[in-house]
Amino acid sequence: MSARAGGAVPGGGRPLIITEDPLLLDDLLRLCAAAGAEPHVHHAVPEQSGAGGDRGGGGFGRGSGADCSSGVGGVGGVGVGGVGWESAPLVLVGDDAARRVGGAPRRDGVLLVGRDLDDPRVWQRAVEIGAEEVLRLPDAESRLVDRIADVVEGAGRPALAVGVIGGSGGAGASTLACALALRAARAGQRTILIDGDPLGGGMDVLLGGESAEGLRWPDFAASRGRVGAGALEESLPELHALRVLSWDRGDRVVVPPAAMRSVVAAARRRGGVVVVDLPRRVDEAVAEVLAQLDLVLMVVPGELRSVAAAGRVAAGVRMVARDVRVVVRGRCPDGLDAEAVARLLGAPLAGEVPVEVGLPGRVAEGEPPGTRGTLARFCDGFWQRVLGPAQGVPA
């Protein structure tokens, strides 16, 4: 597994629309507005490189803040506001205009959009223009808003998302999740720590920030659809160079699955690292989180009773998660070692974490887990393996 850098897309975050269909244009402008984008619009297909003029179809004169032109610039050149076929971060081609851009240079980020669900030639036209997707309205409106919003937010590759779950009670999963997030942030990664366990006492408490200003899970319980990545990050408490989404001290212990899905997706959208502390019970909301994780670390104390309990937890997690690995905590008794624990659970061994005798006392005094000691060294080694040697924490 290698590092994921979340680079911004070029073109200033403004998509290019190419269509002569006034009804389709109205739909696309509406969806751009919903995503917070002000598109550039070519009502006629841009001329080939440097050839000005109009190849047909005048401007429709739509508003909504969009830049509108009729055949200005070139397919490979520059259009209104310095954005053309090659420089726009996203190009939305109406199926009415597909044949006329067939000779344009191939590029990423081209979507063919239309409303005729029964047109058998649409896939041929998509191949001819090198479209990544064919989106038919109104069914694909949500998908299209997401793609446009990614452009507005400068979304690149998603964050590496790691979940941590206890194989048994008191395994130390929350402590490990907190330490992993802290060490990732100290390695210079954009880091968000998400508390997915409403009964765990609060990750903000572990970090000494229970009174820090910012939103908590109950504030997002009514979220539907897409949550803005930038708005989410800026709204969360910042503790020790990372952002933390935790629970408040109130009575709410349930977040609807749709809200959980939207919030975790937003946290991942700007790249870096997302660490999620997971409860041992896999309900519908937890399943939404597991489906978005690249890797789940199951923390298992090195004794037989804990291994037996972890087997039941692992069975539920594997139904959704694509990669589950075992972290053995503490010394195993004679006849049982870390490799044997992993074999019993049918999962790869991610490593061993020794019990750190002085850690509980330091945490009680306000020192976050992972600040120093064997736990910090384990986390640094973990991130070096999954993110690459260049991401290690300086001594």
Side-chain angles (χ1 to χ4, degrees), residues 71-114:
V72 179
V75 170
V78 176
V80 175
V83 173
W85 175 269
E86 292 180 340
S87 59
L90 185 70
V91 181
L92 309 179
V93 179
D95 56 4
D96 64 292
R99 282 184 293 180
R100 298 172 64 182
V101 299
R106 293 301 174 99
R107 52 152 293 167
D108 294 332
V110 176
L111 308 181
L112 182 62
V113 188

Side-chain angles (χ1 to χ4, degrees), residues 175-328:
T175 299
L176 178 58
C178 185
L180 284 169
L182 183 70
R183 301 311 292 183
R186 292 195 175 185
Q189 294 287 329
R190 168 196 174 264
T191 305
I192 295 181
L193 174 60
I194 297 177
D195 187 352
D197 186 357
L199 303 180
M203 298 300 288
D204 53 353
V205 176
L206 267 180
L207 288 164
E210 59 268 29
S211 61
E213 292 186 3
L215 300 184
R216 265 66 172 183
W217 263 123
D219 299 302
F220 296 98
S223 298
R224 296 291 184 274
R226 185 184 178 100
V227 174
L232 170 69
E233 187 170 358
E234 292 168 7
S235 72
L236 300 178
E238 183 174 8
L239 304 169
H240 304 280
L242 59 94
R243 297 284 182 168
V244 182
L245 176 53
S246 188
W247 296 84
D248 62 10
R249 312 284 85 84
D251 295 333
R252 176 182 283 274
V253 294
V254 175
V255 170
M260 190 75 77
R261 177 176 62 247
S262 297
V263 170
V264 174
R268 297 192 64 199
R269 205 171 292 131
R270 284 189 162 187
V273 166
V274 173
V275 179
V276 185
D277 180 39
L278 296 164
R280 293 172 58 213
R281 182 171 62 90
V282 180
D283 57 16
E284 189 177 352
V286 173
E288 292 287 357
V289 179
L290 288 170
Q292 297 191 56
L293 299 179
D294 298 293
L295 171 65
V296 176
L297 298 178
M298 177 175 291
V299 185
V300 184
E303 50 95 9
L304 284 174
R305 187 165 178 238
S306 295
V307 174
R312 292 188 289 272
V313 176
V317 172
R318 283 199 192 96
M319 293 178 65
V320 185
R322 50 182 172 265
D323 189 351
V324 181
R325 306 183 195 182
V326 174
V327 175
V328 176

Side-chain angles (χ1 to χ4, degrees), residues 29-85:
L29 290 176
R30 172 176 56 82
L31 296 176
C32 283
E38 294 185 5
H40 299 278
V41 178
H42 282 292
H43 299 307
V45 180
E47 291 285 351
Q48 292 287 345
S49 191
D54 192 343
R55 291 184 59 179
F60 296 121
R62 297 293 187 269
S64 302
D67 287 333
C68 302
S69 66
S70 298
V72 179
V75 170
V78 176
V80 175
V83 173
W85 175 269

